[in-house]
Amino acid sequence: MKRLLCALVLTFTGAAQAAAPALPGLGAELDKTSVSGLSSGAFMTSQFFVAYSDIMVGAGVIAGGPYLCAMSYPSNTFLQNATTTCMNPLTASTAPPAEHLLTLAKGYASKGEIADLGNLKNDRLYVFSGKSDKVVSTLVVNQTVAFYKAAGVPDDAIRYDTSVNAGHAIVTDAPKDTSCDVTAPPFINDCDFEQSTRIIEQIYPGSKGPAATEPKAVAFDQREFIKSSNTSMSDTAYYYAPKACLEGKHCPVHVVLHGCLQGEKVIGDKYYNGTGYNQMADANDIIMLYPQVQPSQLSPFNPQGCWDFWGYSSPDSTTPDFYSRNAPQIKAIYQMVERLASAPTNTSEVGQ
């Protein structure tokens, strides 16, 4: 019995020692935060972007619908809207109704559940829909652009690209990745350009091209930011901070949100180390933050490891909150950004 107890203690101790370190404070520029994502990460991009528009300067939406998309038609459940209206509506008339969703958003802003929508007018957007994307159709992505234009984002602040024969994927310039027009795991496609470069250049005008480096993101313990048992968020997430940002420079933060079946538990480091964001970080002194979601089969039911844009993470399933500042996933991501913006901690042992 004593040997068994000792073995259990040693196992527990080893597991504790193996936990990733805490996310450090780096004195980041909170009011220059931005966010981008693919698919469910793109839907979450709009949710995080709109909810916290008071700290945002821009967003990149790859194959994603407008804010509050799952509320498009009251006759449907949120899940029905998410899996039909927000994916592949039959006609433009059954696509997400941008004006209606903006009206809902104004109501949430008036109640203080999200930031003032007037903040969006000074922001910059990159929006993308692949010509071969049959998962989230261009009919849906069109309404993302319509929503932001109706909210006051100027036309010249939006770069909307529908010209590339891409499948449902984030785009790279890497021959090792999936062919451009294919939709298949890991949903990272070679279309002869780096989408991360275009996103950062659009959001931060004057940005330099990617550095000729091979930077690797650093693990941190994501558990301290998770305040609900239903988030489907992983224990570990990642960030990358260039040397200057570790040594006292006040750098902006760009949040990168993977899509379904793209978290580390499914594809390893391909998203946070293989999509070019870290090279843009090195070239432009930007901190990259990579929150992680993983598949969950029971509570919550999230078998593909998608970000929540229809309500699975909410404790109250009758009135799910997946869109406001208090939504479990949105709040967790904000607190990560807030930590990075806090007073610098000792980064002498932080890996690169």
Side-chain angles (χ1 to χ4, degrees):
M1 178 63 75
K2 287 184 178 180
R3 288 182 180 180
L4 177 59
L5 288 173
C6 288
L8 290 172
V9 169
L10 288 172
T11 300
F12 178 81
T13 303
Q17 290 174 343
L23 183 65
L26 294 177
E29 292 185 281
L30 186 64
D31 62 355
K32 290 187 179 178
T33 301
S34 59
V35 57
S36 65
L38 165 70
S39 193
S40 73
F43 285 95
M44 178 56 76
T45 286
S46 280
Q47 290 178 182
F48 185 59
F49 179 56
V50 173
Y52 283 102
S53 63
D54 50 335
I55 65 169
M56 294 287 175
V57 295
V61 179
I62 309 167
Y67 177 65
L68 300 178
C69 192
M71 295 183 177
S72 289
Y73 297 105
S75 57
N76 294 335
T77 66
F78 293 160
L79 180 58
Q80 287 171 335
N81 278 322
T83 56
T84 57
T85 304
C86 301
M87 295 290 160
N88 235 322
L90 294 176
T91 65
S93 64
T94 57
E99 292 284 353
H100 168 64
L101 299 177
L102 181 61
T103 298
L104 294 178
K106 289 177 178 177
Y108 294 130
S110 69
K111 293 186 288 186
E113 295 184 49
I114 61 175
D116 186 338
L117 296 176
N119 295 310
L120 298 172
K121 296 178 181 179
N122 296 319
D123 292 340
R124 298 177 61 81
L125 294 164
Y126 172 94
V127 185
F128 181 87
S129 179
K131 292 169 69 174
S132 290
D133 189 340
K134 301 299 190 293
V135 177
V136 178
S137 77
T138 300
L139 291 176
V140 173
V141 186
N142 287 343
Q143 295 308 301
T144 301
V145 175
F147 177 94
Y148 288 117
K149 286 185 176 182
V153 180
D155 289 0
D156 61 5
I158 301 175
R159 179 177 181 177
Y160 184 26
D161 189 353
T162 60
S163 67
V164 182
N165 192 30
H168 188 71
I170 186 171
V171 169
T172 67
D173 186 16
K176 64 178 176 58
D177 290 331
T178 306
S179 297
C180 187
D181 62 346
V182 174
T183 294
F187 310 104
I188 301 173
N189 289 12
D190 173 27
C191 297
D192 300 325
F193 70 92
E194 290 286 344
Q195 201 154 46
S196 55
T197 296
R198 294 189 179 182
I199 289 170
I200 298 302
E201 288 177 342
Q202 175 64 14
I203 294 172
Y204 300 100
S207 294
K208 301 174 185 176
T213 56
E214 295 293 333
K216 302 297 183 184
V218 177
F220 70 90
D221 190 343
Q222 188 173 243
R223 292 174 298 177
E224 67 170 301
F225 304 101
I226 302 171
K227 309 303 182 186
S228 166
S229 61
N230 289 346
T231 65
S232 199
M233 295 176 74
S234 304
D235 289 349
T236 304
Y238 296 82
Y239 76 100
Y240 178 72
K243 183 178 180 181
C245 307
L246 293 172
E247 294 180 346
K249 182 174 181 178
H250 299 295
C251 302
V253 176
H254 183 73
V255 181
V256 183
L257 299 170
H258 63 76
C260 303
L261 297 173
Q262 284 191 315
E264 185 206 20
K265 294 293 185 181
V266 182
I267 66 168
D269 71 345
K270 289 182 175 67
Y271 207 95
Y272 57 80
N273 280 334
T275 51
Y277 282 102
N278 296 337
Q279 285 80 0
M280 288 302 288
D282 271 349
N284 297 286
D285 291 338
I286 299 171
I287 300 166
M288 297 295 170
L289 175 66
Y290 300 97
Q292 298 287 301
V293 167
Q294 65 189 36
S296 174
Q297 299 297 333
L298 294 175
S299 180
F301 184 66
N302 181 29
Q304 294 191 334
C306 302
W307 289 99
D308 182 13
F309 65 99
W310 65 92
Y312 75 71
S313 65
S314 297
D316 184 354
S317 61
T318 58
T319 56
D321 178 2
F322 55 89
Y323 53 83
S324 82
R325 290 178 180 237
N326 285 321
Q329 291 180 352
I330 292 175
K331 191 171 186 179
I333 296 169
Y334 174 75
Q335 289 175 342
M336 295 178 209
V337 175
E338 193 175 44
R339 170 68 59 78
L340 288 169
S342 66
T345 52
N346 182 7
T347 59
S348 61
E349 298 182 358
V350 174
Q352 288 291 299

